[in-house]
Amino acid sequence: MGPTGKAGGRPVPPVVLALRRLPSPRLTGLGAGLFASAVMLTLGFLDRLLLDGSPVAYGLLFLPVSALTALWVRTADLVTAPIGVPIAFAVGVVPIAGGSGGLGGQAMAVVTALAVHAGWLYGGTLVAGLIASVRKVREMGRRHAVRTAPGPDPAPASASSAAGAAGEGPRGRGGAGGAGSGPRRRPVG
């Protein structure tokens, strides 16, 4: 396989090839929320230290963190990505919000910062929601393709397969291992 990704397929853009080389951890929903919160808190402290609490820099850094959170969360926990990233934004805005006068003043500064910079908050949540939605649709398409894929050709009917179809297993009618022993379940996965 070359840069096309598939034998005889169309070429894959270099950006996609670069993204495929990135690590692909699978975080649980809680892990994704903790990851985003820890990164945003760290970025908030660095922003306050290096850039004197620039809200634009903080907002710009929030967008890729939102994207990574949505990319790295497990497929089963995709719904948590757009829920966890706004919480992470709120956690990380604490160091750059300013505020004085104790806990009440700090809380009012955080609420004010969240209101004033809601555009960044909505933008990052939108990024996480779009990525999670695309991943979910692709996963549903994959599952549908697997379910509807044609199976191997059936073997020619013989006496043993005819007996199995009639519900007569190796121990007689409806015995263990026969078709009449109960409903067959499709494996999950």
Side-chain angles (χ1 to χ4, degrees), residues 33-184:
L34 290 174
F35 161 76
S37 296
V39 170
M40 290 312 299
L41 186 62
T42 303
L43 290 175
F45 279 120
L46 288 174
D47 184 19
R48 182 173 179 180
L49 180 69
L50 301 175
L51 302 172
D52 200 31
S54 168
V56 173
Y58 180 78
L60 283 173
L61 292 170
F62 176 62
L63 298 177
V65 170
S66 298
L68 285 177
T69 302
L71 286 171
W72 288 351
V73 71
R74 293 184 318 173
T75 306
D77 296 329
L78 279 173
V79 72
T80 62
I83 296 169
V85 293
I87 296 169
F89 185 90
V91 167
V93 84
V94 172
I96 65 167
S100 60
L103 186 61
Q106 182 69 30
M108 284 306 296
V110 168
V111 170
T112 303
L114 289 173
V116 170
H117 307 296
W120 294 112
L121 178 62
Y122 292 149
T125 304
L126 181 66
V127 166
L130 286 175
I131 291 173
S133 297
V134 167
R135 285 187 58 203
K136 184 64 174 179
V137 168
R138 289 184 67 195
E139 178 64 25
M140 288 169 47
R142 246 185 251 124
R143 285 186 181 177
H144 180 71
V146 167
R147 233 181 293 134
T148 60
D153 291 335
S158 64
S160 63
S161 63
E168 296 177 5
R171 295 186 189 160
R173 182 158 181 80
S181 63
R184 302 193 82 189

Side-chain angles (χ1 to χ4, degrees), residues 14-38:
V15 173
V16 174
L17 290 174
L19 288 174
R20 286 182 182 166
R21 285 190 292 257
L22 287 175
S24 184
R26 290 293 168 229
L27 302 171
T28 63
L30 179 61
L34 290 174
F35 161 76
S37 296

